[in-house]
Amino acid sequence: MSEYYLSNADQIAEHLAQADEAVALGDYERARTEYRAALTLAEAAGDETALADAMRGLGTVAQLEGHYKDALRLLRGALALERRLERPRHLALLLNRLGATAYAAGEYEEARNAFSEAIKTAEALRDPALLGEAVLGMGFVAQAEHDLEEAERWYAESLRLARESDDQQTIARALHQLGNAAFLQGKLDEAETWYRESRTLEEEIGNRQGAAASLYQLGILAQMENDPERARDYYREALETFEELGDRHGIASVLHQLGTLAQDEGDLETAAQLLEQSRTIKEEIGDQRGLATTLHQLGRLAAGRGEYDKAESLLTQSAKLAEALGDRAGILHSRHELATLAQAVGKDDVAEAIYHENLRGYESLGDQRGLAITLARLGDLHFRRGENEAAVAYLIKAFTLLGALSEREQSALVHLVAALFARLGRERVEQWLQELADRDDDVAFLLNSDYWRNIADFLDTLAQREKLVQQVRHVLHLRDHGTDAQRHHLAQDLHALAEQHAQEESVLADFYRTLAHLLEGHDAQQEIANLPPALRDVILDVLHDAP
């Protein structure tokens, strides 16, 4: 072996060591420079071993920065070399990296094949750390294909193996993924516990990227729990870390969520800017799965602005991307929004057909949240048509899946069912439910539980509030837009109601008397302030919402 080759070998080893250290520190630019230097020297020397290591390193950096197309090209090249070198441990490491990258790029079949081979290689080596990482990867694929119970089993097995080998990094990642699986199944408290445990461990071992990923997920949880300020704090902290690390995938993901948060708060201009920034980055790095998600959200935003043609185009693009990726849930989500869009423009029959098709899709995936939301949408559609019996059937079926919904979604469903109580009365609703229970075990179980009696009492109270709200709105409308005759007749009716409730010693007497005075143009501020809090809030809430 020549002196020149030995000198090159030492330089290559030094560049690779420096690059590996830079990756560990999150300094991807320095890592890329060092790996490229090693690659150039390895090519000149004809050193396939160093060449494979340098290509794997460059592929790893590309993957960590979200450049999935480049990462796959480099890692596939490294794999072709590695198969000739007969280094089983290096082969397993590379297969795990390739599987993770293929998964991120939406190439699920390639990811499954890579992780399966990694498992066999790690088992032959009797290396629990490598095996735990490959098993974790199989959980990724199962989750991507929406087999959440299978994913949870893979993650739990990975956690067991990682703890056996004291592999702190894989332990943290398995904890995080168990949080994801719980989150996707609607187990939000359990998910938060896993994410916090993962974040703590990631911080202890100095993995800033992993800690930021957990912060990002905690932000999503806070957003689902209708706590926008806490969500924004988590997102901003995660974004700061991703920007410092140059992690473009992480940056794009946080920008997307900040966009949805702005959209939730009604700041549509800011939402559009953030979502377009996320879209641009995802297009540049080849993140097709993430791009489908952002196109979907931009479609929802366009629909909210009344730009229906634009919304339809964006949602159709999202659905096509999801279909190309084999992302069944993504297809269903985009179709759901297309149905909502059809409903908004008066195409109820089109919307209803899509909702029914989606019900079958969500059932096949075991997606309880998707089922609950679709059932609720069908209930709302029939409720708006005045088809009360069908509305009851769909909404109560959705109610049996209440636990799969976020706090905000639960609140919307509860108020919709309360509106049915207000329209029909509890007795009529429960009569239809008894008929439905004869052919639906879930509804029968719900009706026979203490939970239903408690929630029905609450819904009854809420329904009464809904009626009172409508009465206040009617009073304010006639006060501002009605004729003198209309105001006079309604004032008489309100005074009569006040007298009737006074004879029954009901607190509603003062409520109706106050409404009559509001209608007659009196300054009723002190009367409103003297009402019981629940009744006072009814009037104040309507006054606050009035234009």
Side-chain angles (χ1 to χ4, degrees):
M1 189 175 290
S2 70
E3 182 178 340
Y4 169 76
Y5 180 77
L6 287 174
S7 174
N8 262 2
D10 290 341
Q11 290 181 58
I12 291 169
E14 179 63 21
H15 283 306
L16 289 174
Q18 289 293 324
D20 290 343
E21 179 183 287
V23 169
L25 294 172
D27 188 349
Y28 300 139
E29 188 58 42
R30 182 164 72 89
R32 186 183 300 104
T33 300
E34 296 290 347
Y35 281 131
R36 282 177 176 164
L39 183 72
T40 300
L41 290 171
E43 286 176 332
D47 183 347
E48 286 197 341
T49 299
L51 191 58
D53 290 342
M55 290 180 73
R56 174 169 59 84
L58 285 167
T60 298
V61 171
Q63 184 231 353
L64 291 171
E65 291 184 317
H67 296 286
Y68 300 130
K69 291 177 182 176
D70 289 342
L72 284 172
R73 175 179 54 80
L74 288 160
L75 294 171
R76 288 165 183 160
L79 182 61
L81 289 169
E82 200 63 67
R83 293 195 189 283
R84 297 202 295 267
L85 296 172
E86 297 184 359
R87 299 188 301 173
R89 188 171 189 282
H90 284 78
L91 178 62
L93 284 166
L94 179 55
L95 286 165
N96 277 332
R97 178 62 65 182
L98 177 61
T101 307
Y103 157 76
E107 301 287 351
Y108 302 138
E109 189 62 32
E110 183 176 5
R112 182 187 295 103
N113 291 339
F115 287 130
S116 294
E117 188 178 350
I119 287 174
K120 292 174 185 175
T121 307
E123 286 175 339
L125 289 168
R126 297 185 179 180
D127 187 324
L130 284 173
L131 181 59
E133 186 174 352
V135 166
L136 185 70
M138 292 297 284
F140 293 160
V141 177
Q143 180 178 311
E145 296 179 334
H146 306 287
D147 189 345
L148 298 179
E149 291 182 0
E150 181 72 7
E152 206 165 26
R153 284 193 290 273
W154 283 113
Y155 295 148
E157 176 63 8
S158 176
L159 181 61
R160 184 187 69 79
L161 289 165
R163 281 176 168 159
E164 278 185 8
S165 61
D166 196 30
D167 180 354
Q168 297 296 298
Q169 190 165 3
T170 302
I171 291 172
R173 292 174 66 205
L175 291 168
H176 183 90
Q177 289 305 127
L178 282 165
N180 284 346
F183 171 78
L184 291 169
Q185 294 176 80
K187 306 172 186 174
L188 301 188
D189 290 341
E190 182 181 329
E192 183 170 2
T193 299
W194 289 121
Y195 289 141
R196 290 193 181 282
E197 193 173 345
S198 174
R199 178 194 176 189
T200 299
L201 183 54
E202 294 282 23
E203 289 176 339
E204 288 175 0
I205 63 178
N207 184 0
R208 298 179 66 206
Q209 188 177 47
S214 292
L215 280 168
Y216 167 77
Q217 290 298 143
L218 286 166
I220 291 176
L221 280 179
Q223 188 174 348
M224 289 189 72
E225 291 166 352
N226 205 23
D227 190 343
E229 289 309 313
R230 188 161 60 100
R232 189 174 286 107
D233 288 343
Y234 282 133
Y235 290 146
R236 285 175 175 165
E237 190 176 349
L239 182 61
E240 183 178 335
T241 300
F242 286 136
E243 287 176 336
E244 289 174 1
L245 294 174
D247 182 345
R248 301 185 77 208
H249 177 266
I251 292 168
S253 296
V254 178
L255 288 172
H256 176 99
Q257 284 306 129
L258 284 168
T260 67
L261 191 60
Q263 189 173 348
D264 288 346
E265 295 177 316
D267 187 352
L268 302 187
E269 191 60 39
T270 298
Q273 291 172 1
L274 290 164
L275 289 168
E276 285 293 352
Q277 290 176 42
S278 177
R279 174 185 184 175
T280 298
I281 294 172
K282 288 172 178 178
E283 286 175 338
E284 290 173 353
I285 66 178
D287 180 4
Q288 298 299 293
R289 191 166 52 123
L291 180 59
T293 303
T294 298
L295 287 170
H296 174 96
Q297 197 64 33
L298 282 165
R300 294 187 64 195
L301 179 64
R305 289 169 140 181
E307 300 167 348
Y308 297 124
D309 290 342
K310 181 179 179 181
E312 185 174 10
S313 174
L314 288 162
L315 291 167
T316 301
Q317 289 178 59
S318 175
K320 287 180 177 177
L321 263 180
E323 188 172 357
L325 292 169
D327 182 358
R328 294 166 64 197
I331 296 167
L332 291 169
H333 294 333
S334 290
R335 285 180 56 78
H336 179 90
E337 291 304 326
L338 284 166
T340 304
L341 186 62
Q343 198 174 342
V345 297
K347 298 179 180 178
D348 282 3
D349 291 344
V350 173
E352 188 174 4
I354 295 174
Y355 288 141
H356 280 292
E357 188 174 341
N358 274 15
L359 279 181
R360 292 189 290 273
Y362 285 126
E363 283 172 356
S364 70
L365 289 178
D367 185 341
Q368 300 295 292
R369 179 172 176 268
L371 277 172
I373 290 174
T374 305
L375 288 163
R377 293 297 303 180
L378 280 164
D380 179 56
L381 186 150
H382 286 286
F383 180 73
R384 292 174 187 275
R385 286 176 174 171
E387 297 165 356
N388 298 322
E389 189 168 357
V392 168
Y394 284 118
L395 289 172
I396 296 301
K397 185 66 176 174
F399 218 89
T400 65
L401 303 170
L402 196 68
L405 298 174
S406 70
E407 182 178 326
R408 183 184 303 164
E409 291 162 345
Q410 289 182 5
S411 177
L413 178 58
V414 165
H415 278 81
L416 196 50
V417 178
L420 267 177
F421 270 56
R423 177 185 286 182
L424 307 172
R426 174 174 175 174
E427 185 177 346
R428 183 61 177 135
V429 171
E430 290 191 330
Q431 178 184 339
W432 275 333
L433 288 182
Q434 287 294 345
E435 295 170 7
L436 183 62
D438 291 339
R439 44 185 205 275
D440 192 312
D441 290 342
D442 289 338
V443 175
F445 179 79
L446 178 69
L447 282 181
N448 292 324
S449 65
D450 289 337
Y451 173 73
W452 172 253
R453 283 184 284 277
N454 292 334
I455 197 69
D457 288 342
F458 168 72
L459 287 166
D460 229 356
T461 302
L462 193 59
Q464 294 303 315
R465 189 183 193 280
E466 293 287 338
K467 286 182 179 178
L468 296 178
V469 165
Q470 292 303 320
Q471 288 173 332
V472 175
R473 286 177 177 157
H474 184 55
V475 165
L476 293 180
H477 176 74
L478 286 190
R479 183 194 67 180
D480 298 333
H481 306 290
T483 65
D484 288 343
Q486 288 173 323
R487 285 191 286 270
H488 176 71
H489 288 307
L490 181 57
Q492 283 186 321
D493 289 343
L494 290 169
H495 281 299
L497 278 170
E499 287 302 317
Q500 176 186 328
H501 284 286
Q503 292 172 12
E504 298 169 359
E505 298 184 352
S506 166
V507 292
L508 286 173
D510 289 336
F511 176 81
Y512 286 116
R513 192 173 295 114
T514 301
L515 287 189
H517 291 160
L518 268 176
L519 181 63
E520 292 164 342
H522 300 306
D523 182 359
Q525 294 303 312
Q526 191 58 51
E527 287 182 75
I528 294 171
N530 291 337
L531 289 172
L535 296 174
R536 179 186 65 220
D537 289 347
V538 167
I539 297 178
L540 292 178
D541 286 349
V542 177
L543 286 170
H544 176 75
D545 291 340

